[in-house]
Amino acid sequence: MNYHYHLAHHAHPKVPWYELPRWIDPAQRQPSFWRVYFSLWRGVRPAPPMGAPADLDFLFPADPPQQ
């Protein structure tokens, strides 16, 4: 559920879990725990075609237009 820790774990699988925060790239967007949790309630989504980028709109929605 901590998406950015999950990515760090896969990039550095031998790093202990308590050291994963050191391996997070602060320049990358980091969805909150709650955004990931509530996205799970949307149900199963089909995987993108092979080689296509992942659809992460559920984690990083577009900013609402400024009024």
Side-chain angles (χ1 to χ4, degrees), residues 11-67:
H12 311 283
K14 294 187 181 205
V15 171
W17 65 269
Y18 55 85
E19 290 185 12
L20 287 177
R22 296 182 196 172
W23 293 89
I24 303 300
D25 181 358
Q28 296 293 318
R29 297 183 293 176
Q30 298 178 19
S32 71
F33 171 89
W34 291 110
R35 181 171 296 282
V36 175
Y37 176 78
F38 288 123
S39 77
L40 297 175
W41 289 93
R42 292 183 59 201
V44 177
R45 292 176 295 278
M50 289 297 289
D55 175 16
L56 297 178
D57 288 342
F58 66 100
L59 291 178
F60 305 111
D63 293 328
Q66 298 293 325
Q67 296 184 359

